[in-house]
Amino acid sequence: MALAPIVLVIALLVLRVSPTRAALAALATAVIGTWLAFPLSSPAAPEVGTAMGPTTLTVIFILLGGVGLTEVSARSGGQAVISRWLRATETSGDRLTTLLLIALGVTPFTESVTGFGLGVVITAPLLVGFGLSPARAVVTGMLGLVLVPWGSLGPGTLVAAELGQVDFTGLGVWSAVLSLPVLVINAALIIGLNQRRIGWGQAGFVVVLLLGEWLVLIAANYFFGPPLAGVLASGWVIAVTLWRLRRGGPLPSIWRLGRALLPYAILVGGLVFSNLAVALAGGSGKIATNPALWLNLTVLITVLLLRWPRRMLHEVWPVIWGRWQSVALVTLLYVLLGSLMSANGMAEQLASTAASLGGGFTLLVPLIGALGGYLTGSNTGAAAMFSTATVTAANQLGSSPLILLAGQNVAGSVAIIASPPRVAFAVSVTYPPGQTLPASGQRQLLGAVGLLVVVLAALLPWVAALAPGVGE
């Protein structure tokens, strides 16, 4: 009975039932299970409600701000300006560096700010203009989603931390540590897919680029917190690739980007300033660092600075509202499902069963996370489904709950690159209506996910053994 909601949601998603209906059915099953065998009499029930209430509101408003920022940027012409500028950089340096700038810089940066796979929606058309076929552009763009745990300023990681009752910053740091294979393998696949051969100088540059990105990602999580980590790590890639391109010749004037980059400057500057101010104030006023607050403030400030007429506001708001409702509803349902299963003891029952596998459970954690990410198309959904069970099983086995949850978080994010809803989203901006990604492209993405899950499964027990007691 404890397994029934999970099995049902997996079966319905495999049968192509919409994520919203699948989540509703699973939630109804969990409610029935609560009535029949898992009554809400546990002392954990009010604790889960108290913890998840503010978290859920934060996630919902992060989604609203992300959708709003994307729509405002598109309507104001900012996205078009950035696209033209990136195309112009190809004449200023080597092709590989420009490819890395778009795939590993712009894609994860946009994803870190907005989420929902919108990084690919913006960069896949750029890659087509760069000379890639639509299929190769979609696969390359999806492989560029290397920082999904920090997408949309990290609501998925936040949900995992709250449901697992572990430190949010600590989870971000260990997720960053375990992301090294993702950075290396995805970069190698992007290069192999689009570049037949590279010289030793280019290979050395790629190594420095990825090592620096990994170290910046870890440091940003530790010093600034997870919401800003993806922005800063992808910012490193953008800065270093632009520096290399500039060595090959003059870049297009960056001043043309000023207005287009204004929303991102407001967002990043606001988050950095508020985090520093709160740290200097000894931790008081922490609500000022809330990413949902700054994301929505950024949209409001941008609209005011652009001096949009009321007519345009009346046009854009229904679009933002409609897109936000569809995304927010399914996210809310999965969070409610995970919270209910945590409060009524279903997750603990599943964890007890999983713990009976002993050390074998650690090997399965990446597969469990990847399954959730692939089926829901969201690391937030994957976190809501499995985080409580993973941490409970880790505690029963004497393993580090923080490290195992980080492994689940990274694996769940990895699988999103092959998730059917995300792939369809990318295809919609590169192919004519009605077309789908060829089977060869789907196999490439699934192969990448399978390889990463195997590597994470092999790596996770070693990391957990080398850092016993972390997160306790």
Side-chain angles (χ1 to χ4, degrees), residues 398-403 464-472:
S399 297
S400 167
L402 188 59
I403 292 176
L466 289 172
V470 170
E472 290 182 359

Side-chain angles (χ1 to χ4, degrees), residues 142-143 145 148 186 413-419 423 445 448-449 452:
M142 298 304 288
L143 289 170
L145 294 175
V148 173
N186 283 28
S413 301
V414 158
I416 285 171
I417 69 171
S419 178
V423 173
L445 291 174
V449 172
L452 285 164

Side-chain angles (χ1 to χ4, degrees), residues 197-294:
R197 54 192 299 180
I198 63 173
W200 286 107
Q202 289 177 317
F205 170 72
V206 172
V207 170
V208 171
L209 183 72
L210 296 178
L211 181 60
E213 182 181 15
W214 182 54
L215 294 175
V216 169
L217 185 64
I218 295 172
N221 275 280
Y222 184 80
F223 290 107
F224 297 103
L228 207 55
V231 175
L232 295 177
S234 54
W236 157 270
V237 175
I238 293 172
V240 173
T241 50
L242 288 177
W243 170 79
R244 183 175 174 87
L245 286 170
R246 193 172 185 276
R247 291 180 61 196
L251 290 172
S253 175
I254 199 168
W255 296 108
R256 297 179 183 177
L257 292 175
R259 184 173 175 178
L261 295 178
L262 178 62
Y264 305 100
I266 294 171
L267 176 62
V268 175
L271 282 168
V272 170
F273 175 78
S274 61
N275 274 280
L276 289 175
V278 169
L280 292 173
S284 60
K286 199 167 185 179
I287 191 173
T289 65
N290 191 305
L293 172 65
W294 278 104

Side-chain angles (χ1 to χ4, degrees), residues 4-224:
I6 303 298
V7 172
L8 181 62
V9 75
I10 291 173
L12 291 176
L13 289 170
V14 168
L15 293 172
R16 302 293 181 90
V17 175
S18 73
T20 301
R21 292 183 178 180
L24 279 170
L27 186 58
T29 305
V31 171
I32 294 172
T34 302
W35 177 54
L36 293 176
F38 293 92
L40 284 169
S41 57
S42 168
E47 294 178 7
V48 171
T50 302
M52 290 308 298
T55 301
T56 302
L57 285 175
T58 297
V59 170
I60 294 302
F61 281 101
I62 284 176
L63 297 176
L64 176 62
V67 171
L69 182 59
T70 302
E71 194 63 31
V72 168
S73 180
R75 297 268 178 153
S76 65
Q79 288 183 6
V81 171
I82 295 171
S83 298
R84 288 194 297 269
W85 191 90
L86 287 170
R87 289 193 189 100
T89 62
E90 186 182 355
T91 61
S92 305
D94 64 272
R95 183 178 176 83
L96 176 62
T97 304
T98 303
L99 175 68
L100 295 175
L101 167 63
I102 298 173
L104 294 178
V106 178
T107 300
F109 179 87
T110 309
E111 182 70 13
S112 296
V113 174
T114 60
F116 330 119
L118 292 175
V120 182
V121 171
I122 292 173
T123 55
L126 289 179
L127 292 167
V128 172
F130 187 62
L132 274 59
S133 67
R136 189 170 292 183
V138 171
V139 174
T140 300
M142 298 304 288
L143 289 170
L145 294 175
V146 293
L147 302 178
V148 173
W150 301 272
S152 196
L153 304 182
T157 301
L158 176 61
V159 168
E162 292 292 347
L163 284 174
Q165 297 182 13
V166 300
D167 179 61
F168 182 34
T169 298
L171 182 58
V173 169
W174 282 101
S175 295
V177 171
L178 292 171
S179 290
L180 181 61
V182 182
L183 299 177
V184 172
I185 291 174
N186 283 28
L189 292 173
I190 288 171
I191 294 170
L193 185 64
N194 298 287
Q195 193 94 357
R196 291 186 177 180
R197 54 192 299 180
I198 63 173
W200 286 107
Q202 289 177 317
F205 170 72
V206 172
V207 170
V208 171
L209 183 72
L210 296 178
L211 181 60
E213 182 181 15
W214 182 54
L215 294 175
V216 169
L217 185 64
I218 295 172
N221 275 280
Y222 184 80
F223 290 107
F224 297 103

Side-chain angles (χ1 to χ4, degrees), residues 288-306:
T289 65
N290 191 305
L293 172 65
W294 278 104
L295 200 50
N296 286 279
L297 271 178
T298 296
V299 175
L300 179 61
I301 293 171
T302 303
V303 168
L304 292 174
L305 290 176
L306 292 175

